[in-house]
Amino acid sequence: MREPQAPTERLSGSVERVTFHSPESGFCVLRVKVRGERELITVIGSAASVTPGEYLEAEGWWVNDRQHGLQFKSVNLRVIQPRTLDGIERYLGSGMVKGIGPHFAKKLVRAFGEQVFDVIEDSPDRLLELEGIGPKRRKRVTDAWAEQKVIREIMVFLQSHGVGTARAVRIYKTYGDRAVEQVRENPYRLALDIHGIGFKTADTIAGRLGIPRDSLIRAQAGVRHVLQEIAGEGHCAAWHEHLVEQSRTLLEIPTPIIEEAIQVELTEERLVAEPIEERPALFLTPLQRAELGIARNLERLKLAPPPWGAIDIGKALPWAETQTGLALSDSQRAAIAAAVSGKVTIITGGPGVGKTTVVNSILRILRAKGVEVLLCAPTGRAAKRLSESTGGEARTIHRLLEFDPQIMGFRRDQYSQLETDLLVVDEVSMVDVVLMNQLLRAVPTRAAVLLVGDVDQLPSVGPGAVLADLIGSGAVPTVRLTEIFRQAAASRIIVNAHRINAGKMPEIPDADRADSDFYLIRCDTPEAIHDKLMRVVTERIPSRFGLDPVRDVQVLTPMNRGGLGSRALNVALQTALNPDAQPRIERFGWTYAPGDKVIQLVNDYDKEVFNGDIGRIQSIDAEEGLLTIDFEGRAVVYESGELDEVALAYATSVHKAQGSEYPAVVIPLAMQHYTLLQRNLLYTAVTRGKRLVVLIAQPKALGMAIKKVESSQRLTKLRWRLMEGQVEPMRDV
């Protein structure tokens, strides 16, 4: 065994398999084919991106790991052009060059040998000598190769800093031929502009470019990064002293430099300083403007009466009951009366309390008056559900506002407002401050707004707690429905959701009952939970309830990491449910095959696919390096370098499931999840199930989840802005 103090060695070869890769940290475990070695070599190191078929050079030393045996520990991984025919074939066939897949790569190497790179670059007409290659394909290959040449030049600059091929492609697409110049000028912009490159990678590049650790540009980027991380946790602001403290911990530089960086960011209007309850706080400018915009637009909407005039509610309610054939409760009558007489109204409540009946009654009354109505929801699934329940066309908020990827903005705004008398927004708990501001500013002053949602669910994935803040402010008329109706009371899912929300243990039916829709399986250990979960998903639910384990069953787990996290469960469930599908493609630490269930991880406005959307892989074209995913009947094509935008979705986090419903939900709860065990998380998970909920839990973990109410409120100022009527003069946001 060589010690780290020993001189480093070099090792090169083709990546045969990516055993593990963490996009967050870059840590990877690779199996590499090295010339002259009969067995594959295990290489551990760090790379922003690594793909089977790529050829790499590693610098490091050998270690003998107690558990895993002999490994090559790399301190520097670089992607290089391969030197052997086999390596060239793997490299070309990896999908990095559009138009060249495994089959065509074999043809090229057989025809041109080691000169294949020169042929593609200098004599592309010779490609026409090969059978099946026409001018159109030759052009596609040569264009892609030219792009790769620029990318390779960028790679020479970036690869020593741990930036892999896929990230280099994104850098090229963002900055074009000026990529190296832009990065040299300010490497920290990478963390802001390029998905998948974080502050640490940008900071490493900056250090190697000679930017001092105590430079102001580094301090500014660090402060902004910390505030963005805080926003990623759902907060709209940070306490001034907390931001300074966290920035000092991250950057390891003196406090005065951090304070100076904050002042520069304030001067350049990237941050806003504003007290919350007389305590100094700092906002990212877009979030502060979004909060102000929401408050201002709600005030604006109150300026005019409802466009439909006065309605005799005493006559309208009996008429609505006749139309729907449903008797309304007192709370439902109050909700309907508030909505038809007001400009902005909130209706909130849990499952089974009649929110749908209320919305349909309101729509019947107002449509009879000739009112123009628009319906929307944050996600495609929620919009589809709203369409089904109301019989009207419902769109996602992004579609309603006509998002245009060319301008990276919405065509509907305060200058081109929506044409409607009433806007109905469902699943409002999912809407963050930025999107709510975009939506409200597009509503004409004469129109009314009806906001519907369950305030007890998890707040939005994005920053803010809009629904809770609107209700808590008392500035928006709100009706909370609490009565569970008889038909809904027959569902153990609904009854137990309300029990959990009230801090009570769920009622558990006899395990032998086949007619229940809610089951609790108690387990003593995480290993037992894992084993039970695999059996329940792959065997018991399909055989007992006739549900498809991929299409109909969704595993919802509190965490992404750990043995019961979404990552580990996805690998196990994929192996069990889709083991033999071909062809397979490996990217960013995941293996994908036709039939796999996947989830979108970021908003992709070009593709009109958004964070949390779930689809199924239709096909994989290994030759072209393309993968087609079906999202709710819409086929979306991904290049292999874009697959860091998706992940397997046999299991997802509860947060990602907001706004969605599934025929069956399986929820593992263990003490290893203790940091996230809280009531609104469990309540949200249970209410995702339509026909069946199976809770597989350690009793102590279940008890903790039910008892623990989220103690750390999101830091926002929207509630106070509304309470104080604090609305600044009109300006663009």
Side-chain angles (χ1 to χ4, degrees):
M1 170 178 157
R2 291 177 173 85
E3 297 298 328
Q5 291 79 7
T8 58
E9 296 184 20
R10 292 184 184 276
L11 174 151
S12 62
S14 62
V15 180
E16 298 292 312
R17 188 166 71 249
V18 179
T19 303
F20 176 80
H21 179 249
S22 167
E24 293 87 5
S25 66
F27 176 75
C28 56
V29 180
L30 312 174
R31 297 285 282 163
V32 178
K33 177 65 176 173
V34 176
R35 192 172 187 178
E37 297 286 345
R38 293 181 59 188
E39 303 291 331
L40 296 179
I41 301 298
T42 298
V43 176
I44 58 175
S46 182
S49 159
V50 64
T51 303
E54 287 186 323
Y55 206 79
L56 61 79
E57 188 174 85
E59 185 179 344
W61 51 81
W62 294 94
V63 296
N64 199 355
D65 186 89
R66 287 184 182 181
Q67 185 175 352
H68 302 291
L70 194 64
Q71 300 176 331
F72 190 81
K73 184 175 181 179
S74 170
V75 292
N76 187 9
L77 284 176
R78 297 190 304 121
V79 177
I80 60 174
Q81 277 197 3
R83 302 182 181 89
T84 66
L85 290 179
D86 181 59
I88 292 170
E89 184 180 321
R90 287 292 303 272
Y91 179 81
L92 285 173
S94 68
M96 287 186 292
V97 183
K98 280 178 267 184
I100 302 181
H103 177 70
F104 189 32
K106 189 181 290 291
K107 268 189 175 183
L108 284 169
V109 172
R110 191 178 297 152
F112 304 117
E114 294 177 3
Q115 279 72 50
V116 64
F117 297 139
D118 296 330
V119 169
I120 296 172
E121 189 162 332
D122 302 325
S123 310
D125 286 344
R126 291 191 61 191
L127 297 177
L128 297 173
E129 299 170 12
L130 302 182
E131 185 182 349
I133 307 300
K136 188 175 178 182
R137 185 163 196 178
R138 179 201 61 185
K139 185 176 187 310
R140 189 161 76 247
V141 170
T142 53
D143 286 350
W145 185 261
E147 181 178 304
Q148 280 295 319
K149 183 181 179 182
V150 177
I151 292 168
R152 285 196 302 277
E153 290 170 359
I154 297 170
M155 284 295 296
V156 170
F157 174 69
L158 295 174
Q159 62 194 2
S160 62
H161 308 303
V163 179
T165 307
R167 301 291 188 259
V169 172
R170 288 188 188 278
I171 292 168
Y172 171 72
K173 285 182 176 178
T174 304
Y175 303 137
D177 294 341
R178 296 185 64 237
V180 172
E181 180 186 338
Q182 296 273 37
V183 174
R184 280 189 182 279
E185 184 182 304
N186 182 2
Y188 292 105
R189 66 187 302 160
L190 290 171
L192 296 174
D193 298 341
I194 311 297
H195 169 64
I197 294 184
F199 174 80
K200 289 184 178 179
T201 301
D203 198 34
T204 300
I205 295 172
R208 295 186 180 182
L209 287 173
I211 295 176
R213 291 182 60 78
D214 60 354
S215 65
L216 194 57
I217 189 175
R218 180 172 183 263
Q220 287 177 249
V223 165
R224 225 168 31 243
H225 168 72
V226 169
L227 204 46
Q228 285 166 337
E229 290 287 298
I230 290 169
E233 295 169 3
H235 303 286
C236 290
W239 301 119
H240 185 112
E241 69 270 22
H242 289 172
L243 178 60
V244 171
E245 182 183 333
Q246 289 185 43
S247 299
R248 190 174 62 238
T249 300
L250 171 73
L251 299 170
E252 298 178 332
I253 59 177
T255 298
I257 299 174
I258 292 168
E259 292 284 11
E260 184 184 355
I262 290 173
Q263 287 306 312
V264 174
E265 291 292 294
L266 289 170
T267 302
E268 296 180 358
E269 297 188 352
R270 285 192 283 266
L271 303 186
V272 176
E274 196 176 21
I276 299 176
E277 295 188 285
E278 300 182 356
R279 187 176 171 187
L282 290 158
F283 291 76
L284 289 168
T285 300
L287 299 184
Q288 190 258 4
R289 289 182 176 175
E291 284 197 349
L292 286 172
I294 292 170
R296 186 184 67 231
N297 283 303
L298 288 171
E299 288 294 316
R300 172 180 62 82
L301 289 168
K302 293 176 184 177
L303 294 175
W308 49 80
I311 291 177
D312 186 340
I313 199 69
K315 292 180 180 178
L317 288 172
W319 179 84
E321 287 180 318
T322 302
Q323 291 290 307
T324 61
L326 298 170
L328 297 167
S329 69
D330 290 342
S331 60
Q332 288 178 315
R333 286 169 171 263
I336 296 166
V340 300
S341 62
K343 279 300 294 297
V344 183
T345 311
I346 295 172
I347 297 172
T348 188
V353 297
K355 294 195 298 292
T356 299
T357 299
V358 168
V359 172
N360 282 332
S361 298
I362 293 167
L363 294 180
R364 282 183 181 271
I365 292 169
L366 295 181
R367 281 174 174 156
K369 288 273 190 178
V371 171
E372 288 289 327
V373 178
L374 289 177
L375 307 171
C376 67
T379 66
R381 286 190 172 212
K384 184 178 179 182
R385 221 168 51 245
L386 183 59
S387 291
E388 291 167 351
S389 65
T390 62
E393 181 195 2
R395 285 172 276 179
T396 64
I397 295 173
H398 283 83
R399 283 183 180 273
L400 182 75
L401 297 180
E402 299 175 22
F403 185 86
D404 185 347
Q406 298 300 317
I407 62 173
M408 283 305 288
F410 296 99
R411 294 201 172 276
R412 293 291 186 173
D413 54 20
Q414 66 268 45
Y415 306 111
S416 177
Q417 293 183 318
L418 298 166
E419 296 165 10
T420 188
D421 299 316
L422 173 67
L423 176 68
V424 179
V425 191
D426 199 12
E427 295 285 0
V428 178
S429 64
M430 294 183 64
V431 184
D432 62 32
V433 288
V434 175
L435 189 56
M436 181 59 80
N437 178 45
Q438 301 278 10
L439 180 60
L440 289 178
R441 72 179 187 169
V443 179
T445 303
R446 63 181 174 77
V449 176
L450 176 61
L451 304 174
V452 184
D454 185 349
V455 73
D456 294 318
Q457 286 188 25
L458 288 169
S460 56
V461 174
V466 174
L467 183 58
D469 282 347
L470 294 184
I471 293 172
S473 72
V476 181
T478 301
V479 179
R480 181 160 190 153
L481 303 174
T482 57
E483 181 183 346
I484 304 175
F485 289 92
R486 185 181 303 170
Q487 185 176 356
S491 164
R492 292 292 93 191
I493 294 174
I494 290 174
V495 169
N496 283 330
H498 284 274
R499 287 183 64 84
I500 290 166
N501 201 31
K504 300 175 183 176
M505 292 291 286
E507 293 177 347
I508 309 304
D510 186 333
D512 295 328
R513 280 184 56 184
D515 60 341
S516 181
D517 58 4
F518 187 101
Y519 294 91
L520 171 63
I521 301 173
R522 294 180 176 86
C523 295
D524 294 329
T525 65
E527 293 76 18
I529 292 176
H530 188 281
D531 293 345
K532 288 282 188 185
L533 183 145
M534 295 300 296
R535 281 194 59 208
V536 162
V537 173
T538 63
E539 300 172 23
R540 293 178 65 180
I541 290 178
S543 64
R544 189 164 180 175
F545 297 93
L547 296 173
D548 183 277
V550 179
R551 184 186 64 241
D552 300 327
V553 181
Q554 186 62 52
V555 176
L556 299 180
T557 179
M559 299 183 77
N560 290 317
R561 298 178 182 177
L564 291 173
S566 60
R567 186 175 188 89
L569 290 174
N570 268 313
V571 172
L573 288 165
Q574 182 191 44
T575 301
L577 296 172
N578 196 30
D580 302 319
Q582 294 292 337
R584 303 178 88 79
I585 186 171
E586 291 185 46
R587 288 294 185 275
F588 304 104
W590 292 104
T591 300
Y592 300 103
D596 276 335
K597 182 160 61 171
V598 294
I599 186 168
Q600 180 76 12
L601 301 176
V602 295
N603 290 336
D604 189 322
Y605 298 107
D606 288 319
K607 292 180 169 57
E608 292 189 54
V609 184
F610 302 102
N611 189 354
D613 287 353
I614 287 182
R616 293 282 293 274
I617 296 176
Q618 277 184 338
S619 62
I620 294 175
D621 186 336
E623 289 296 313
E624 300 290 345
L626 301 175
L627 184 146
T628 303
I629 302 175
D630 174 32
F631 288 99
E632 300 286 334
R634 193 168 68 91
V636 181
V637 177
Y638 289 74
E639 295 178 14
S640 58
E642 298 175 316
L643 291 180
D644 57 343
E645 291 188 0
V646 300
L648 292 177
Y650 297 96
T652 70
S653 69
V654 179
H655 286 81
K656 290 286 187 187
Q658 286 176 265
S660 296
E661 282 187 346
Y662 312 95
V665 165
V666 179
I667 307 163
L669 279 186
M671 287 306 296
Q672 64 182 234
H673 300 140
Y674 73 94
T675 55
L676 290 174
L677 293 177
Q678 57 195 40
R679 188 181 299 170
N680 61 354
L681 181 134
L682 179 56
Y683 172 74
T684 300
V686 168
T687 53
R688 301 307 90 204
K690 287 164 63 178
R691 291 171 53 188
L692 178 66
V693 171
V694 180
L695 195 52
I696 309 176
Q698 288 178 285
K700 187 177 179 181
L702 176 59
M704 179 180 288
I706 291 170
K707 288 176 185 174
K708 187 178 177 184
V709 179
E710 186 179 20
S711 55
S712 56
Q713 293 287 329
R714 291 186 167 187
L715 184 57
T716 73
K717 196 175 179 178
L718 179 58
R719 182 178 305 195
W720 287 272
R721 297 186 202 283
L722 293 165
M723 290 167 66
E724 299 165 2
Q726 180 193 341
V727 181
E728 288 191 353
M730 185 77 82
R731 67 172 176 173
D732 292 347
V733 295

